[in-house]
Amino acid sequence: MKNIIIDSNSQLEEKYLAKIAPIVNQINNSNLSKKGKLKIIYDYLVDTCSIDESFNMDGINQFPNIYGEGITAANKYGPVLYEKGVCSGFCRAYIDIAEKCNINVEMIKGIHQGFGHGWIMTLENGEPVHIDVYEGIKYKNGFESSKGFKPNVDSSVAFMRTTTELINTGRYRDFQKNMNEAETKLRNQEGQIEKKVEYREVQPGFKVRR
C-alpha cells in the first residue's frame, strides 16, 4: 500500500511538471524583467483557469478530491491539471511556478468581501506589490455584483497593485500583519537591508506605508 501511494503521488507530480514545463522554460530562457516573468505566470493561470464554485464558502467543509486522487481546488494540482481552483490553489500554483523560475513571492492571507482570501505579494523596485489571480479570473469572466466587480474590465488590473491601490478597492482587509511578515521574509530573501515600516491610518482598520 505504501508503494502505491508513493507511485500515485509521483505520477501526479510528473503530470503537473509536464504541464507547467513550457511556462517555466519560456520564463527561464527569456531576458524579461521580473515583472514580465511574473506576468507570464499570471496570464497563464488567468487565461486557462476558472473558479470552482462547488465548495462551502463558510469554510466548514474540507476541499474534496473531486478531480481525482490528490487533486483539489485548493492545491497546485487543481488549477494546473484540471484548470479549476480557488484562491489558495491559484496561489500555490503561482508560488510553485515562480520558485522554479527563481522568483521570490509569498502568499498573503486576509479578508476579501467578507470571506477568507489569499493572493500573491512580491517586491518590485523594493516595494510590496499584490497579484490576485482570483480577481483576475473574475474580471476576465465579466463578473458583476453589488460589491464592486464590473464586466468588461481588463484582468490585468489585479496584477501588481500597490498596497494603497489594493486598499482603495474597498474589498480587502485584515491582511496587514500577514503582509508585514511576508515583506520581511521577501526582503531577507532578496538580500535587501531590512527597514522599519511605518504605517498611517487611511480609514478604520486600514493602514498604508508613510
Side-chain angles (χ1 to χ4, degrees):
M1 181 63 71
K2 184 176 181 181
N3 289 334
I4 292 175
I5 293 174
I6 292 174
D7 289 343
S8 175
N9 290 341
S10 176
Q11 290 172 7
L12 182 61
E13 184 69 10
E14 286 177 6
K15 290 179 181 178
Y16 169 82
L17 292 174
K19 189 75 177 289
I20 66 170
I23 302 298
V24 173
N25 290 336
Q26 177 187 358
I27 292 171
N28 286 337
N29 292 327
S30 76
N31 294 318
L32 291 171
S33 65
K34 174 182 175 181
K35 181 177 181 178
K37 293 176 179 179
L38 290 174
K39 186 63 160 55
I40 289 177
I41 304 173
Y42 177 82
D43 287 343
Y44 164 64
L45 292 172
V46 169
D47 291 344
T48 61
C49 293
S50 60
I51 294 168
D52 183 351
E53 305 286 0
S54 66
F55 65 97
N56 191 332
M57 285 296 289
D58 61 17
I60 293 177
N61 296 331
Q62 296 296 313
F63 300 103
N65 293 335
I66 59 175
Y67 312 134
E69 184 178 356
I71 306 175
T72 81
N75 66 24
K76 66 181 183 180
Y77 298 120
V80 171
L81 295 179
Y82 200 78
E83 298 183 346
K84 265 194 169 184
V86 292
C87 59
S88 56
F90 300 137
C91 286
R92 291 184 174 108
Y94 199 108
I95 290 169
D96 188 69
I97 297 171
E99 286 179 348
K100 287 175 171 54
C101 300
N102 299 310
I103 305 173
N104 297 319
V105 297
E106 290 290 325
M107 179 176 173
I108 302 298
K109 296 178 181 179
I111 301 297
H112 178 271
Q113 293 191 294
F115 294 102
H117 186 55
W119 63 94
I120 295 296
M121 190 183 86
T122 190
L123 298 179
E124 176 71 4
N125 297 321
E127 296 299 326
V129 289
H130 304 263
I131 301 169
D132 193 337
V133 173
Y134 178 92
E135 274 220 339
I137 294 171
K138 287 285 192 181
Y139 283 129
K140 176 195 72 173
N141 293 334
F143 181 85
E144 183 176 21
S145 79
S146 60
K147 297 182 179 180
F149 287 107
K150 298 179 181 179
N152 303 319
V153 177
D154 184 357
S155 63
S156 65
V157 299
F159 177 74
M160 281 203 170
R161 289 183 286 206
T162 66
T163 302
T164 299
E165 289 171 338
L166 195 76
I167 291 171
N168 286 343
T169 67
R171 296 189 292 274
Y172 297 81
R173 63 180 177 85
D174 298 348
F175 62 87
Q176 278 76 21
K177 182 178 184 295
N178 189 235
M179 175 185 154
N180 290 348
E181 294 169 352
E183 182 178 350
T184 297
K185 185 175 179 180
L186 286 168
R187 291 191 184 284
N188 291 338
Q189 287 173 338
E190 299 192 4
Q192 298 186 29
I193 298 174
E194 188 173 344
K195 59 182 180 180
K196 183 178 179 181
V197 179
E198 295 183 5
Y199 292 91
R200 61 179 174 83
E201 293 280 352
V202 292
Q203 64 184 81
F206 293 112
K207 298 179 180 180
V208 296
R209 186 186 306 277
R210 288 188 184 278

